[in-house]
């Protein structure tokens, strides 16, 4: 059965695209069939995985019905991607069908035989696109920085999760809160960690044991068209992201044995 995982937080700059790119690349390295889907009109995911952007068919063309997904999916060295661009920002106004919350769900259902994992990058918003992602998902990962204000934002995500569970997708799980740009030596991080455990519990979830440390290689990797996992596999953030890949890959796609 394929898993559909959305990386979400309505706050920008918390690491959604970074985590999505790492999951696409890392799960593929394990031999899983993975499709990365960019629902952010800023279109950063495809760029981060080395695709030339502009001119190619996007998720917008597919949702509109103008292209088949097979025409729009790009195959890169690091994984398959359905890219996005600024046109997608028209979605809220343009897609008005009564089942408009299910557009992505339908699309993914039609591709389930082809992929083990769908990893969805989302915009920094809680809008129709985000709802589509939650409706289509088996699980959510919520990257965040270890700051008190970030926790306040999580309660808004919680409202959306509960609304989607009530109306559209009762099985929606929150896989976990994922600390990014983490510095374990800061007392603040530790205090926030305790508070985050409480917030996670309210979502029926947990703070993931993997925490992503800050490292300049993460910010450099997109310029090289690849995830930090392949750009600097020896870096601390890459090791941390690999732990996240382990959690998601599970026993079906184990890490190759170390020699
Ligand atoms: N662990 C990290 N260490 C250093 N820089 C990071 C880390 N995670 C993300 N960044 C950088 O922070 C910025 C925002 O990350 P990004 O993944 O684009 O966030 P989002 O998609 O949530 O807006 C990017 O420049 C990215 O390279
Ligand atoms: Mg992003």
């Amino acid at each position: 059965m394929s898993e559909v995982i959305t990386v979400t937080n309505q706050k920008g700059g918390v690491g959604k695209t970074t985590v999505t790119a790492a999951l696409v690349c890392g799960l593929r390295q394990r031999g899983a069939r993975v499709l990365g889907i960019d629902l952010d009109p800023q279109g950063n995911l495809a760029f981060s995985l080395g695709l030339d952007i502009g001119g190619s068919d996007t998720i917008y063309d597919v949702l509109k019905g103008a292209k088949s997904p097979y025409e729009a999916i790009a195959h890169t060295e690091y994984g398959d991607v359905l890219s996005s661009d600024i046109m997608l920002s028209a979605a809220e106004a343009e897609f008005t069908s009564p089942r408009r919350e299910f557009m992505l769900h339908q699309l993914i259902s039609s591709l389930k035989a082809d992929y083990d994992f769908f990893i969805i990058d989302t915009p920094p918003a809680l809008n129709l696109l985000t709802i589509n992602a939650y409706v289509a998902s088996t699980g959510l990962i919520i990257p965040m920085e270890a700051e008190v204000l970030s926790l306040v934002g999580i309660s808004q995500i919680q409202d959306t999760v509960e609304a989607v569970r009530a109306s559209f997708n009762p099985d929606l799980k929150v896989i976990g809160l994922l600390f990014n740009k983490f510095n374990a030596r800061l007392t603040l991080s530790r205090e926030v960690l305790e508070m985050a455990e409480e917030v996670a519990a309210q979502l029926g979830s947990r703070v993931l044991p993997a925490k992503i440390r800050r490292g300049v290689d993460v910010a450099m990797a997109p310029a090289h068209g690849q995830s930090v996992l392949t750009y600097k596999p020896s870096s601390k953030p890459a090791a941390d992201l690999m732990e996240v890949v382990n959690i998601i890959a599970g026993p079906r796609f184990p890490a190759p044995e170390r020699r």
Side-chain angles (χ1 to χ4, degrees):
M1 229 192 63
S2 32
E3 278 189 63
V4 184
I5 295 169
T6 289
V7 183
T8 180
N9 191 327
Q10 80 278 21
K11 207 162 177 276
V14 296
K16 292 181 289 297
T17 303
T18 300
V19 170
T20 307
L23 282 173
V24 169
C25 168
L27 290 166
R28 180 186 166 97
Q29 284 179 335
R30 296 292 171 81
R33 299 167 304 157
V34 192
L35 178 64
I37 301 179
D38 194 356
L39 278 191
D40 184 353
Q42 291 175 89
N44 291 342
L45 181 65
F47 180 80
S48 301
L49 288 169
L51 279 172
D52 280 334
I53 42 170
S56 51
D57 299 326
T58 68
I59 179 85
Y60 172 75
D61 301 308
V62 177
L63 292 178
K64 234 175 41 170
K67 294 284 175 183
S68 88
Y70 298 105
E71 288 174 285
I73 292 172
H75 307 276
T76 83
E77 195 185 335
Y78 305 108
D80 288 4
V81 189
L82 252 178
S83 65
S84 138
D85 65 15
I86 194 68
M87 295 295 288
L88 188 61
S89 55
E92 195 90 40
E94 197 173 319
F95 297 128
T96 53
S97 82
R99 304 237 329 146
R100 64 189 204 141
E101 292 87 0
F102 288 88
M103 292 182 299
L104 186 65
H105 177 78
Q106 270 172 356
L107 169 62
I108 288 178
S109 298
S110 76
L111 294 171
K112 282 226 157 128
D114 298 318
Y115 293 101
D116 301 304
F117 291 97
F118 298 84
I119 312 291
I120 306 170
D121 192 10
T122 51
L126 292 169
N127 57 17
L128 176 66
L129 294 167
T130 326
I131 302 276
N132 261 271
Y134 288 19
V135 171
S137 288
T138 50
L140 308 181
I141 294 178
I142 306 175
M144 59 181 288
E145 287 186 52
E147 291 166 357
V148 176
L149 288 180
S150 305
L151 284 168
V152 177
I154 306 294
S155 66
Q156 283 167 283
I157 302 178
Q158 182 174 2
D159 293 343
T160 310
V161 168
E162 278 164 11
V164 168
R165 279 180 183 153
S167 303
F168 306 117
N169 182 5
D171 299 326
L172 178 62
K173 268 195 322 206
V174 178
I175 296 168
L177 306 186
L178 174 58
F179 275 115
N180 186 19
K181 307 185 185 178
F182 192 68
N183 182 349
R185 277 172 305 190
L186 291 181
T187 338
L188 178 64
S189 294
R190 267 185 253 134
E191 270 173 28
V192 175
L193 187 56
E194 279 167 27
M195 289 167 66
E197 296 284 3
E198 286 168 30
V199 172
Q202 284 167 27
L203 282 160
S205 188
R206 61 172 179 159
V207 177
L208 291 180
K211 298 182 180 60
I212 306 163
R213 285 165 287 182
R214 193 184 283 275
V216 67
D217 296 313
V218 180
M220 293 298 293
H224 297 265
Q226 50 185 307
S227 163
V228 70
L229 288 190
T230 54
Y231 173 64
K232 270 292 160 58
S234 60
S235 67
K236 287 171 181 168
D240 302 336
L241 283 161
M242 196 49 93
E243 275 187 56
V244 182
V245 172
N246 284 337
I247 292 170
I248 301 305
R252 268 170 86 204
F253 298 98
E257 276 182 43
R258 293 219 191 113
R259 264 168 279 173

